[in-house]
Amino acid sequence: MNRRYQRTATTITSGGNRKPANADVGGGHGSGRVDDFTAQVCLDLGDCSTQRSHLDCPWRPADVTQREGRILRQGNQNPEVSIYRYVVAGSFDAFSWQTVARKGTFIDQIMRGTSAHEIEDVSDETLQAHQIKAIATGNPLLMDREQVAQDLTRLERADRTHHNTQAALRRPVGELKAWITKDTRRVEVLDDVIARRQDTRGEKFAMTVAGHRFTKRAEAGRALQHALTATAQGVASTDRREAAGVAQLGGFGVDAVFWSGRDGMLAALRFDGIPDSSTTIGLTSAVEGDPTGLVRRLENQLTDLDSTRTTVQARIAGQHEEIARATEQLDQPFPRRDELLDTRRRLRAINAVIDLMADTTPPPSAAPPAVPVTVDNWMPTELRDSLTPDEQAWLDRRVQHVAGRGTVQDAARTTDLDAFSAPFDKALTHALADPGNTEMAVAVMLKCDDPAWRQALYSAAGQAVHQAVRATPPPASAAGSATQRGSEADQSKAVTPLAPAAIIAATTPADRALLDACTQQALRVDAVQAAARADDQTAFSTTFAAAMTTAIAQLDDPAHVVRLADLHGDQAFREGLTNLVWDKLTPIPAAERQAVPSATVDAASVAAKAFLPTPRASTGASAAAPISPAPATAHRAADNDHVR
């Protein structure tokens, strides 16, 4: 039956005829639209279908396969077909396709028999589900992240395979060397045996059986048969009997071994002193068969010694070649290691941009007024050379965009360069997450994965913006001189530093661990140590904030840099943290001052970690004493409950 199938929203043709969206099904054999379930499991779409559409997402990957199996099947006359999947941005479709992707990943692993310790997205259907989920969210960066994550999974799997191969190569090398040792000894034995072998060919034949010498093979064979029969007498089915010297041929003694096998009694004839020279035959066949043939079997063992030696030598040569190949591959680095590292960095950069774009922090309700500011020729040569012309132009626009913000201009006019770096770094970091050009945002964020490059960018841009804003007249609405604005800033824009408890509430344990590490690095700066030894809290606040900004920018993970720059860019948090560190500084008692060298004090003797809960001891009216870490006291748990 030639049936025609028509979707509700998309026209699907059959037999070359196009039907309208509300066409009958079956060419007149009943009418009505076909729902998705009917098309999924009930309807035969025929052999001429060209299109298939998914208007919704099922709950099982098998349902997707079932639907598409109505058109991707044997008998379809079209060489190519079209499959459409429709999703609505920001709808429940994202969750639905994510669920199908997760199920498809697990099922694919089970069907392919991969390790139960790993789940990998390897099938086409699984990849499509992940991509459709990304499309449904309306964020193109999610598509890039899914693709990069897939690439990273494959590269990491190849890296593991490489290391497993390296480990597997080391084992056979040892085994091959052991076999070479054994085969070399075997060649030496064969050389000795061949040298002692007597020729029994033709008229030179001579064999001794039971003390009698025979020169005829038939007679020697019959004598050997009688000897085997006599020796095997009385051997039980569970016994094993060995008889040495039943005969002598070619200069070597012939031994016999008897045991009971599945098909009756068996006899093995072997030459004494010749390895692997045994020939096994049924006892009945040996004693009742051709006597000459029995002797020929033994002669062939002696004749084959030369070919056996050649085979063993060839095997030794092959083993040496295998060792050479394995040794050449041993300790080789993963050939795609650079690609693996680049993919990891790219994924970190994409995640950093996505996280910044997802930041929903509301802008200030009353931003300070701003004036047009032009920042020219701010980019150092090293930075410019590392960027493409398009990246240079885009980065210039982003820096110009930051310079035009009222909050940035206000900070530049009211603070020095060191204090200005914190709010500027925060503003520039958010500006780099440009939703209008995510490709450039990821490219620059990828370069920011290098701490030195990032520090050079933020330092040069911050200095240029600070100078440009200060060189531009303030807006007319900001009446009064810069000195008057500076004196009124504390009253009109007073910021209360966060208390330790508020800092704890605003940070995670991972944040605090990173802040501690950055604090220790900042306290190694000479200017910070000098301010601490001079007991100058104002100078300490300025130098410590600048040193913390530098330490944060040098973190390895861009996500950590973004997170801590966000925290430290908040003035209340920054001043609260500075006060918290300042309160931990403790002067060394006078009795111990002589033990402190006059040179620059090591950071470990300048201050304790930021979150050690010992308060700063009060200082006397005399000159500031050298600084040492605050000791842990019994009341530390009462000071800050976050350390319990």
Side-chain angles (χ1 to χ4, degrees):
M1 178 182 296
N2 183 18
R3 293 187 176 183
R4 294 176 184 151
Y5 170 76
Q6 178 59 50
R7 301 282 312 180
T8 302
T10 304
T11 300
I12 297 181
T13 62
S14 179
N17 298 322
R18 181 171 296 275
K19 300 288 290 183
N22 58 353
D24 294 341
V25 177
H29 301 281
S31 61
R33 295 178 179 175
V34 179
D35 60 24
D36 210 26
F37 177 77
T38 303
Q40 174 177 320
V41 298
C42 301
L43 186 63
D44 183 1
L45 299 183
D47 55 3
C48 297
S49 302
T50 60
Q51 294 180 0
R52 178 71 172 93
S53 297
H54 293 276
L55 297 184
D56 66 347
C57 175
W59 283 104
R60 298 175 300 181
D63 295 337
V64 179
T65 304
Q66 179 78 0
R67 289 182 184 180
E68 296 177 356
R70 297 295 168 180
I71 190 172
L72 298 174
R73 60 191 307 170
Q74 293 182 352
N76 194 329
Q77 300 178 8
N78 297 291
E80 295 182 0
V81 296
S82 300
I83 297 178
Y84 298 94
R85 300 183 180 185
Y86 297 92
V87 295
V88 178
S91 70
F92 192 72
D93 292 343
F95 176 80
S96 299
W97 283 110
Q98 183 180 26
T99 302
V100 171
R102 185 173 61 251
K103 294 177 181 178
T105 298
F106 174 75
I107 295 172
D108 183 82
Q109 174 204 4
I110 297 299
M111 297 300 293
R112 291 175 180 262
T114 55
S115 171
H117 298 287
E118 299 179 3
I119 295 179
E120 301 168 350
D121 300 333
V122 292
S123 69
D124 293 338
E125 185 172 309
T126 299
L127 295 181
Q128 290 174 5
H130 277 291
Q131 293 169 352
I132 295 171
K133 177 207 72 176
I135 294 173
T137 61
N139 188 347
L141 270 182
L142 291 182
M143 173 68 78
D144 294 338
R145 181 170 68 178
E146 290 296 338
Q147 184 60 52
V148 173
Q150 297 293 341
D151 295 340
L152 180 60
T153 298
R154 295 188 182 94
L155 288 171
E156 289 178 341
R157 185 171 63 249
D159 186 36
R160 289 194 300 271
T161 301
H162 172 76
H163 287 293
N164 292 338
T165 302
Q166 291 285 306
L169 286 174
R170 292 185 176 90
R171 290 192 296 270
V173 166
E175 296 174 356
L176 288 171
K177 290 181 178 179
W179 277 109
I180 289 176
T181 302
K182 293 180 181 179
D183 287 339
T184 302
R185 293 197 189 113
R186 187 177 180 188
V187 170
E188 294 173 355
V189 172
L190 288 173
D191 288 339
D192 178 67
V193 168
I194 292 173
R196 293 189 293 113
R197 180 183 58 185
Q198 298 176 3
D199 190 5
T200 61
R201 293 174 295 178
E203 298 298 329
K204 298 179 181 179
F205 174 79
M207 181 176 182
T208 301
V209 180
H212 299 282
R213 177 181 174 83
F214 299 94
T215 58
K216 301 295 183 181
R217 290 180 175 82
E219 296 176 355
R222 284 192 292 269
L224 181 58
Q225 289 175 337
H226 290 306
L228 294 177
T229 301
T231 306
Q233 289 294 330
V235 178
S237 60
T238 58
D239 290 344
R240 178 183 176 88
R241 179 178 298 177
E242 297 186 7
V246 296
Q248 190 171 9
L249 178 66
F252 300 96
V254 178
D255 301 333
V257 180
F258 304 94
W259 73 97
S260 179
R262 184 175 57 183
D263 298 328
M265 189 66 67
L266 299 176
L269 302 178
R270 64 190 182 192
F271 287 95
D272 183 26
I274 301 179
D276 300 331
S277 61
S278 176
T279 177
T280 301
I281 187 173
L283 182 59
T284 303
S285 300
V287 299
E288 296 180 0
D290 181 16
T292 303
L294 182 60
V295 174
R296 291 291 188 187
R297 291 175 72 108
L298 293 175
E299 285 187 289
N300 291 338
Q301 293 291 329
L302 294 176
T303 305
D304 291 343
L305 290 177
D306 297 288
S307 61
T308 301
R309 181 182 182 278
T310 303
T311 301
V312 175
Q313 286 182 324
R315 186 164 63 216
I316 292 175
Q319 291 165 347
H320 280 296
E321 292 178 0
E322 291 184 25
I323 291 177
R325 286 194 298 267
T327 304
E328 184 179 357
Q329 298 177 23
L330 280 175
D331 300 326
Q332 290 292 325
F334 180 48
R336 302 177 67 185
R337 177 169 178 77
D338 291 341
E339 183 181 356
L340 173 62
L341 297 178
D342 290 343
T343 304
R344 285 175 176 166
R345 286 193 291 266
R346 180 169 179 79
L347 184 60
R348 287 200 300 267
I350 292 176
N351 285 332
V353 174
I354 290 176
D355 292 341
L356 287 170
M357 292 175 61
D359 186 3
T360 57
T361 303
S365 57
V371 296
V373 173
T374 302
V375 183
D376 294 325
N377 300 323
W378 64 270
M379 194 177 299
T381 304
E382 295 79 5
L383 290 181
R384 187 174 296 277
D385 292 343
S386 66
L387 298 170
T388 65
D390 290 341
E391 291 172 347
Q392 295 173 15
W394 178 84
L395 193 54
D396 277 330
R397 292 194 297 270
R398 301 319 294 169
V399 172
Q400 190 68 47
H401 173 74
V402 173
R405 291 183 179 179
T407 53
V408 173
Q409 293 185 10
D410 184 67
R413 292 190 179 95
T414 57
T415 60
D416 59 13
L417 181 59
D418 290 337
F420 171 71
S421 61
F424 174 79
D425 289 358
K426 179 179 180 180
L428 180 58
T429 299
H430 281 273
L432 293 181
D434 182 9
N437 196 335
T438 56
E439 182 179 355
M440 288 295 178
V442 172
V444 173
M445 194 64 70
L446 186 60
K447 296 182 183 299
C448 287
D449 193 62
D450 180 5
W453 195 93
R454 177 188 175 89
Q455 176 65 19
L457 167 64
Y458 279 66
S459 177
Q463 183 176 359
V465 171
H466 189 265
Q467 293 175 353
V469 171
R470 283 179 169 264
T472 303
S477 59
S481 64
T483 304
Q484 181 178 0
R485 291 181 69 251
S487 63
E488 295 175 352
D490 293 338
Q491 299 178 2
S492 61
K493 299 179 181 179
V495 175
T496 303
L498 294 183
I503 293 178
I504 297 303
T507 56
T508 65
D511 294 336
R512 295 194 287 274
L514 292 171
L515 286 172
D516 272 338
C518 293
T519 297
Q520 293 300 319
Q521 181 175 342
L523 290 173
R524 291 185 175 91
V525 177
D526 292 342
V528 177
Q529 294 189 23
R533 290 196 302 274
D535 203 22
D536 187 345
Q537 185 174 2
T538 302
F540 178 83
S541 299
T542 302
T543 56
F544 177 75
M548 279 293 289
T549 300
T550 301
I552 291 172
Q554 293 175 351
L555 292 175
D556 293 334
D557 194 333
H560 293 162
V561 175
V562 172
R563 170 64 177 165
L564 295 193
D566 256 353
L567 292 172
H568 197 251
D570 183 81
Q571 185 177 355
F573 183 93
R574 183 172 65 254
E575 293 182 0
L577 178 63
T578 303
N579 292 342
L580 179 60
V581 175
W582 176 257
D583 288 341
K584 306 304 173 187
L585 303 181
T586 307
I588 298 177
E592 302 178 12
R593 294 180 189 178
Q594 300 301 328
V596 178
S598 58
T600 302
V601 184
D602 185 78
S605 62
V606 171
K609 290 186 177 182
F611 294 101
L612 283 179
T614 305
R616 175 182 174 86
S618 59
T619 59
S622 58
I627 305 301
S628 67
T633 62
H635 57 275
R636 60 178 290 184
D639 288 336
N640 294 288
D641 57 0
H642 65 273
V643 300
R644 292 177 180 151

